[in-house]
Amino acid sequence: MVLQPSERHYRDRNHRRLGPWCSPTGSPAPLSCETGCGEGSWILVCRLLVPTQVSLLSMEEDIDTRKINNSFLRDHSYATEADIISTVEFNHTGELLATGDKGGRVVIFQREQESKNQVHRRGEYNVYSTFQSHEPEFDYLKSLEIEEKINKIRWLPQQNAAYFLLSTNDKTVKLWKVSERDKRPEGYNLKDEEGRLRDPATITTLRVPVLRPMDLMVEATPRRVFANAHTYHINSISVNSDYETYMSADDLRINLWNFEITNQSFNIVDIKPTNMEELTEVITAAEFHPHHCNTFVYSSSKGTIRLCDMRASALCDRHTKFFEEPEDPSNRSFFSEIISSISDVKFSHSGRYIMTRDYLTVKVWDLNMENRPIETYQVHDYLRSKLCSLYENDCIFDKFECVWNGSDSVIMTGSYNNFFRMFDRNTKRDVTLEASRENSKPRAILKPRKVCVGGKRRKDEISVDSLDFSKKILHTAWHPSENIIAVAATNNLYIFQDKVN
């Protein structure tokens, strides 16, 4: 069986699918509840609907389009495939939160400023800017459709009044500038007030243009387009700590870019074999070290992580460190290779640890210990008995992401039934919470949820057979310095805040 990265899933020689298509400050308080008991310490700040073009047009007549909140929520039946959120990312200060969707749109939310009269509104976010980042394309040479879906968004540190972010679909990375304008120039010499060119013969005096106040306008302009460098689908982008370069990773290669050069990139990893029949693994995620500009990691569909040092070699096919946990032969099954595929890899803010997410677990690795992780957290171990049905409905290939909190003491990742999980590394406590429309009243306290595996079910427990696998939390984000989290569920964005904040 010849492995082709353009296929929806990768398969080995036995026709088994290998994997899916594809320094903050502050010390947040630890979690204050145990699994399945007590009250949660998280409250719902707001639930935001990613606006579509239709909803924006209908709201322009009545309200400021930047204020989209609970009053304008629509039912899920109105959500189209293009409205589904595909990535979520806070900027470095946490004042802005960007989401990308399958329709190629980027929606940026801005944090509400705190006032003396409304202190509780400090954690709320409202729509700041919406723009179309990518459009659907067609590769005529390969007869392939290129989706407009936004795979990843990464912010650059703010250097001036404007904001910059990278967004990517399967093939093209774009650098966007988001800026505000509250003044407009008037009094041009060669143009009239309507912007039309004047007859030079009528110009008899020289005027000095002046700036006049105007309503605040947020503009998003593309500054760079990095295209034509990836044969396969881009799954990761990561900004280097030197803020001059970034890397983009697809299924078989990783490229290094300079922000000022759009027509050339340097290939730093290439795992494509000479004979595609020998392909046994693909790259699933990659990230730069937060402090060392020469170091990066990438994960594979085999459940391995490679740490590379660009000082050792220009082409980093030979890794510096190799992280892999030996599999217990007694636990090996038909699904072992599939569920061991790593869907996300993240450096801790300190740079000392690496966190990886596979289908059933989250693992924390110490950079100084390669043979096994120092921590392993079971996300939804109750699904082991359901792997066969999850394989049939393709849910087993879902790519869940994971995030650290600002102090690296708590980690968060998503699950099914709109559940998301938090694990406190210090107390070893964990909690399951739900992003639900039924519990979407502002300031409502989230109650911990628990999944029942056996026949007897207690009150407030949900049976594993009742889980809705069409509702899944794949994308989450944590504020860089505060206990504020963003959870994407279909076309809804939930903002939660720790009750003690």
Side-chain angles (χ1 to χ4, degrees), residues 204-215:
T204 58
T205 60
L206 179 66
R207 297 190 298 177
V208 178
V210 295
L211 294 176
R212 302 291 186 190
M214 60 175 286
D215 293 336

Side-chain angles (χ1 to χ4, degrees), residues 313-422:
S313 172
L315 187 60
C316 300
D317 287 346
R318 294 186 178 181
H319 49 267
T320 304
K321 291 188 176 183
F322 183 78
F323 301 86
E324 182 180 25
E325 184 178 22
E327 183 183 7
D328 186 354
S330 61
N331 294 331
R332 184 167 182 79
S333 67
F334 173 81
F335 306 105
S336 294
E337 290 186 17
I338 302 174
I339 63 176
S340 65
S341 175
I342 295 175
S343 57
D344 195 17
V345 59
K346 293 281 176 62
F347 271 107
S348 63
H349 295 98
S350 66
R352 172 68 186 275
Y353 304 102
I354 303 172
M355 174 171 57
T356 60
R357 172 67 204 266
D358 56 42
Y359 189 68
L360 295 179
T361 66
V362 172
K363 297 175 181 177
V364 177
W365 303 76
D366 191 314
L367 289 184
N368 297 324
M369 189 167 69
E370 304 173 47
N371 59 339
R372 61 182 176 86
I374 59 172
E375 300 166 22
T376 300
Y377 301 98
Q378 299 294 333
V379 179
H380 38 217
D381 197 53
Y382 46 79
L383 294 181
R384 286 190 182 274
S385 60
K386 302 288 183 180
L387 292 180
C388 185
S389 58
L390 291 168
Y391 177 85
E392 293 300 325
N393 61 18
D394 272 359
C395 284
I396 201 170
F397 302 105
D398 287 332
K399 301 185 69 174
F400 292 95
E401 297 176 1
C402 52
V403 291
W404 302 88
N405 73 335
S407 62
D408 298 334
S409 61
V410 183
I411 56 182
M412 175 175 61
T413 191
S415 182
Y416 294 104
N417 209 70
N418 279 355
F419 289 167
F420 59 98
R421 302 267 284 144
M422 292 184 178

Side-chain angles (χ1 to χ4, degrees), residues 124-399:
E124 292 191 13
Y125 285 77
N126 291 305
V127 172
Y128 178 67
S129 176
T130 303
F131 59 91
Q132 188 74 29
S133 175
H134 288 74
E135 299 282 355
E137 301 175 35
F138 189 81
D139 189 334
Y140 292 96
L141 294 178
K142 299 180 180 179
S143 297
L144 290 175
E145 292 184 1
I146 302 174
E147 295 181 354
E148 66 272 34
K149 172 191 169 186
I150 306 298
N151 292 337
K152 294 291 179 182
I153 291 175
R154 290 292 181 264
W155 290 90
L156 276 68
Q158 188 175 5
Q159 304 292 338
N160 48 43
Y163 302 96
F164 290 86
L165 61 86
L166 288 172
S167 64
T168 182
N169 65 349
D170 287 339
K171 298 291 184 180
T172 304
V173 183
K174 294 184 179 182
L175 175 66
W176 289 89
K177 177 184 178 181
V178 181
S179 56
E180 296 181 355
R181 186 155 60 93
D182 58 0
K183 294 181 176 64
R184 68 170 180 267
E186 292 183 358
Y188 288 107
N189 289 281
L190 302 179
K191 295 181 180 180
D192 59 19
E193 301 304 326
E194 302 296 327
R196 293 170 297 195
L197 290 174
R198 299 170 59 188
D199 184 0
T202 63
I203 303 175
T204 58
T205 60
L206 179 66
R207 297 190 298 177
V208 178
V210 295
L211 294 176
R212 302 291 186 190
M214 60 175 286
D215 293 336
L216 179 65
M217 179 182 298
V218 181
E219 296 178 320
T221 54
R223 300 303 300 271
R224 304 282 190 276
V225 178
F226 306 89
N228 304 320
H230 285 276
T231 305
Y232 310 108
H233 288 194
I234 299 173
N235 54 51
S236 302
I237 52 176
S238 180
V239 179
N240 201 347
S241 59
D242 61 10
Y243 304 130
E244 295 181 359
T245 58
Y246 77 92
M247 69 177 176
S248 57
D250 64 25
D251 302 320
L252 297 179
R253 297 186 179 98
I254 299 177
N255 293 333
L256 182 68
W257 298 83
N258 187 293
F259 280 110
E260 301 300 324
I261 304 174
T262 60
N263 60 352
Q264 187 178 11
S265 64
F266 188 79
N267 180 236
I268 55 177
V269 173
D270 187 350
I271 67 169
K272 181 180 179 181
T274 305
N275 185 356
M276 287 297 287
E277 291 188 1
E278 300 174 358
L279 180 63
T280 59
E281 63 180 334
V282 294
I283 299 170
T284 56
E287 187 176 64
F288 268 118
H289 191 282
H291 309 303
H292 304 312
C293 61
N294 55 284
T295 307
F296 67 94
V297 295
Y298 68 93
S299 57
S300 80
S301 57
K302 276 192 170 182
T304 61
I305 311 107
R306 292 170 173 84
L307 179 74
C308 299
D309 190 339
M310 291 189 291
R311 296 173 302 181
S313 172
L315 187 60
C316 300
D317 287 346
R318 294 186 178 181
H319 49 267
T320 304
K321 291 188 176 183
F322 183 78
F323 301 86
E324 182 180 25
E325 184 178 22
E327 183 183 7
D328 186 354
S330 61
N331 294 331
R332 184 167 182 79
S333 67
F334 173 81
F335 306 105
S336 294
E337 290 186 17
I338 302 174
I339 63 176
S340 65
S341 175
I342 295 175
S343 57
D344 195 17
V345 59
K346 293 281 176 62
F347 271 107
S348 63
H349 295 98
S350 66
R352 172 68 186 275
Y353 304 102
I354 303 172
M355 174 171 57
T356 60
R357 172 67 204 266
D358 56 42
Y359 189 68
L360 295 179
T361 66
V362 172
K363 297 175 181 177
V364 177
W365 303 76
D366 191 314
L367 289 184
N368 297 324
M369 189 167 69
E370 304 173 47
N371 59 339
R372 61 182 176 86
I374 59 172
E375 300 166 22
T376 300
Y377 301 98
Q378 299 294 333
V379 179
H380 38 217
D381 197 53
Y382 46 79
L383 294 181
R384 286 190 182 274
S385 60
K386 302 288 183 180
L387 292 180
C388 185
S389 58
L390 291 168
Y391 177 85
E392 293 300 325
N393 61 18
D394 272 359
C395 284
I396 201 170
F397 302 105
D398 287 332
K399 301 185 69 174

Side-chain angles (χ1 to χ4, degrees), residues 22-188:
C22 339
S23 105
T25 60
S27 180
L31 299 177
S32 61
C33 54
E34 297 184 16
T35 306
C37 63
E39 285 191 339
S41 63
W42 292 87
I43 57 177
L44 175 68
V45 178
C46 55
R47 181 165 70 96
L48 302 160
L49 181 73
V50 172
T52 62
Q53 295 176 354
V54 175
S55 64
L56 282 174
L57 290 174
S58 63
M59 286 184 289
E60 282 177 351
E61 301 175 359
D62 303 320
I63 64 164
D64 178 5
T65 56
R66 293 175 58 189
K67 305 291 183 181
I68 300 176
N69 50 34
N70 298 279
S71 303
F72 298 93
L73 293 173
R74 300 177 299 169
D75 190 83
H76 275 287
S77 59
Y78 289 93
T80 65
E81 182 76 12
D83 298 329
I84 297 176
I85 300 173
S86 56
T87 184
V88 184
E89 187 78 10
F90 279 103
N91 73 337
H92 289 73
T93 63
E95 293 302 308
L96 297 181
L97 174 65
T99 66
D101 62 27
K102 291 188 175 182
R105 293 183 298 268
V106 172
V107 181
I108 302 176
F109 299 90
Q110 185 181 45
R111 191 175 187 179
E112 190 77 14
Q113 296 300 314
E114 184 178 2
S115 64
K116 294 182 179 180
N117 299 328
Q118 295 178 314
V119 180
H120 68 279
R121 292 179 63 86
R122 181 65 177 128
E124 292 191 13
Y125 285 77
N126 291 305
V127 172
Y128 178 67
S129 176
T130 303
F131 59 91
Q132 188 74 29
S133 175
H134 288 74
E135 299 282 355
E137 301 175 35
F138 189 81
D139 189 334
Y140 292 96
L141 294 178
K142 299 180 180 179
S143 297
L144 290 175
E145 292 184 1
I146 302 174
E147 295 181 354
E148 66 272 34
K149 172 191 169 186
I150 306 298
N151 292 337
K152 294 291 179 182
I153 291 175
R154 290 292 181 264
W155 290 90
L156 276 68
Q158 188 175 5
Q159 304 292 338
N160 48 43
Y163 302 96
F164 290 86
L165 61 86
L166 288 172
S167 64
T168 182
N169 65 349
D170 287 339
K171 298 291 184 180
T172 304
V173 183
K174 294 184 179 182
L175 175 66
W176 289 89
K177 177 184 178 181
V178 181
S179 56
E180 296 181 355
R181 186 155 60 93
D182 58 0
K183 294 181 176 64
R184 68 170 180 267
E186 292 183 358
Y188 288 107

